[in-house]
C-alpha cells in the first residue's frame, strides 16, 4: 500500500535505473556518515557535549539573526522550516532512519526532481553534522566538560568560545559549500512547489506513510512542500528569501575567517545583541 502511495508522486517518468541506483547510493552514503558520527558521540560523551554546545549556540544565533524573518507574515513559515526542520534537531534520528530505510525506493519511484531533493537533503545533512562534529571535537579538546554557559548574561564568553572553535577548525571551502547547498536546496524546493499534483499526492500519502512507519519523513516532506508552495505564491518571495540568507551568511563567514579574530567576535556580538538586551 505504501509503495502504491509513493507512486502517486510519479508525475513524470522515474530516473533511469542507473541514475536511481546512484541516487540511492548517494543517500545511503550520506546517512551512513551521519550514523558513524553518532556512534562516535556515543563512545565519547565529552565530544558529544561539545557538539551539543555548538548546535545550541548556532540555533540561538539563527533565532537572533533571523528574528525579523521568523516574525514576518511573508517569510515566517519558511524561516521556521529552515531553522527548526532543515538544520534543527527536531527528531533527526527518527527521520534519518526512515530516510535510509527507503533510500532505494525514493530513487526508484519518485520523479527526478524529488530524487534530486532527497540527495541534496542527505548530503547537506552529512556536511552540517561533519562540521558540527569538528567544532565539537575542538571544544572537547580545549575545554573538556568545562564549557561556558550560554544565555543573555554569558554572551561574551560563549562568543569567544565559538569563534575560537570556528577558527581552529577552519575548512573555509566546506563552509562555503554548505551555504551553497542550503541555497540550492531552497531553490529546488521552490521548483517542487510548482509541480502540479504533488501537494495532493503528499496528502494522500499520510495514512499509508503512518502504516509503513514513515510518518516523520512524510511530515517533513509535506511541511517543506507547503512551506515553499505558500512562499512561491508571493511574487519574488523565494528569490528574495534565499538572497537574503546568502548575503547574511556570507558576511558572517567572511567575518569569522577574517585575519583579525576580533572581526568575527564583533560580528557575532552584533547578531546576539537582542539576547543581551
Amino acid at each position: 500500500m505504501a509503495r502504491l502511495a509513493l507512486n502517486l508522486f510519479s508525475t513524470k517518468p522515474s530516473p533511469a535505473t542507473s541514475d536511481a541506483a546512484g541516487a540511492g547510493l548517494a543517500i545511503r552514503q550520506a546517512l551512513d556518515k551521519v550514523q558513524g558520527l553518532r556512534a562516535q558521540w556515543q563512545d565519547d560523551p565529552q565530544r558529544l557535549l561539545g557538539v551539543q554546545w555548538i548546535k545550541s549556540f548556532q540555533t540561538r544565533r539563527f533565532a537572533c539573526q533571523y528574528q525579523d524573518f521568523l516574525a514576518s507574515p511573508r517569510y515566517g513559515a519558511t524561516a521556521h522550516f529552515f531553522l527548526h526542520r532543515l538544520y534543527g534537531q527536531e527528531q533527526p534520528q527518527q527521520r534519518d532512519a526512515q530516510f535510509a530505510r527507503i533510500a532505494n525506493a525514493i530513487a526508484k519511484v519518485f520523479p527526478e526532481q524529488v530524487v534530486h531533493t532527497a540527495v541534496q537533503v542527505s548530503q547537506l545533512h552529512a556536511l552540517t553534522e561533519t562540521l558540527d562534529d569538528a567544532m565539537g571535537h575542538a571544544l572537547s579538546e580545549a575545554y573538556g566538560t568545562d564549557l561556558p554557559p550560554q544565555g543573555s548574561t554569558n554572551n561574551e564568553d560563549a562568543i569567544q568560545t565559538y569563534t575560537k572553535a570556528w577558527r581552529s577548525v577552519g575548512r573555509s571551502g566546506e563552509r562555503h559549500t554548505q551555504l551553497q547547498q542550503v541555497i540550492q536546496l531552497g531553490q529546488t524546493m521552490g521548483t517542487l512547489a510548482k509541480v502540479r499534483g504533488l501537494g495532493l499526492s503528499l496528502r494522500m500519502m499520510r495514512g499509508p506513510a503512518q502504516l509503513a512507519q514513515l510518518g516523520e519523513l512524510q511530515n517533513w516532506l509535506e511541511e517543506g512542500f507547503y512551506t515553499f508552495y505558500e512562499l512561491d505564491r508571493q511574487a519574488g518571495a523565494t528569490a528574495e528569501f534565499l538572497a537574503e540568507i546568502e548575503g547574511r551568511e556570507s558576511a558572517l563567514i567572511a567575518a569569522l575567517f577574517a585575519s583579525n579574530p576580533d572581526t568575527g567576535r564583533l560580528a557575532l556580538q552584533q547578531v546576539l545583541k537582542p539576547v543581551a538586551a
Side-chain angles (χ1 to χ4, degrees):
M1 187 174 183
R3 185 177 178 84
L4 178 61
L6 288 171
N7 272 306
L8 290 170
F9 282 101
S10 298
T11 55
K12 63 179 182 177
S14 297
T17 302
S18 59
D19 293 341
L25 177 61
I27 293 168
R28 289 197 308 277
Q29 286 177 335
L31 295 179
D32 284 348
K33 189 168 189 177
V34 172
Q35 290 304 317
L37 291 172
R38 289 188 177 139
Q40 288 182 18
W41 300 340
Q42 268 193 323
D43 295 335
D44 189 349
Q46 186 171 297
R47 188 168 183 156
L48 174 60
L49 187 66
V51 173
Q52 290 172 333
W53 191 97
I54 289 295
K55 289 183 179 295
S56 177
F57 184 94
Q58 289 176 161
T59 298
R60 192 162 64 97
R61 192 270 287 182
F62 291 154
C64 290
Q65 190 163 10
Y66 295 100
Q67 59 181 312
D68 56 335
F69 274 14
L70 289 164
S72 164
R74 183 175 175 88
Y75 300 119
T78 313
H80 184 275
F81 180 78
F82 259 61
L83 176 61
H84 296 288
R85 298 287 273 162
L86 185 58
Y87 175 80
Q89 296 306 296
E90 292 183 2
Q91 298 181 304
Q93 290 175 281
Q94 182 179 350
R95 184 195 66 204
D96 290 354
Q98 293 175 5
F99 207 177
R101 193 163 75 241
I102 63 166
N104 287 334
I106 286 174
K108 289 176 181 176
V109 304
F110 284 140
E112 184 178 351
Q113 288 174 314
V114 177
V115 174
H116 181 56
T117 305
V119 173
Q120 284 181 295
V121 170
S122 62
Q123 291 179 337
L124 172 60
H125 184 37
L127 179 55
T128 297
E129 294 291 81
T130 298
L131 291 171
D132 287 355
D133 172 69
M135 289 185 71
H137 182 57
L139 286 187
S140 68
E141 291 286 299
Y143 295 91
T145 58
D146 190 25
L147 290 166
Q150 298 183 36
S152 60
T153 59
N154 305 101
N155 264 347
E156 190 54 39
D157 287 345
I159 288 170
Q160 288 274 19
T161 300
Y162 184 84
T163 303
K164 287 178 182 178
W166 177 288
R167 293 175 69 85
S168 70
V169 169
R171 302 192 183 186
S172 173
E174 287 174 280
R175 289 294 180 187
H176 287 286
T177 296
Q178 181 189 33
L179 175 56
Q180 287 309 306
Q181 286 183 353
V182 169
I183 300 305
Q184 289 165 7
L185 179 57
Q187 291 168 343
T188 300
M189 296 290 281
T191 300
L192 280 180
K194 297 179 173 67
V195 176
R196 294 186 62 183
L198 189 55
L200 176 61
S201 296
L202 281 165
R203 289 196 298 274
M204 293 179 69
M205 195 180 152
R206 291 173 186 171
Q210 291 293 337
L211 290 174
Q213 297 183 333
L214 299 174
E216 174 56 25
L217 177 59
Q218 191 275 337
N219 290 340
W220 191 93
L221 288 168
E222 188 169 356
E223 182 179 349
F225 171 81
Y226 279 108
T227 294
F228 275 89
Y229 175 78
E230 290 299 324
L231 185 66
D232 199 63
R233 292 176 65 186
Q234 305 170 71
T238 300
E240 291 169 9
F241 176 78
L242 295 174
E244 189 64 27
I245 288 178
E246 186 170 23
R248 294 185 193 188
E249 294 300 309
S250 294
L252 185 59
I253 289 171
L256 285 165
F257 280 124
S259 57
N260 184 347
D262 284 342
T263 304
R265 179 181 62 80
L266 292 171
L268 284 172
Q269 211 172 55
Q270 187 63 32
V271 167
L272 293 170
K273 188 175 181 180
V275 174

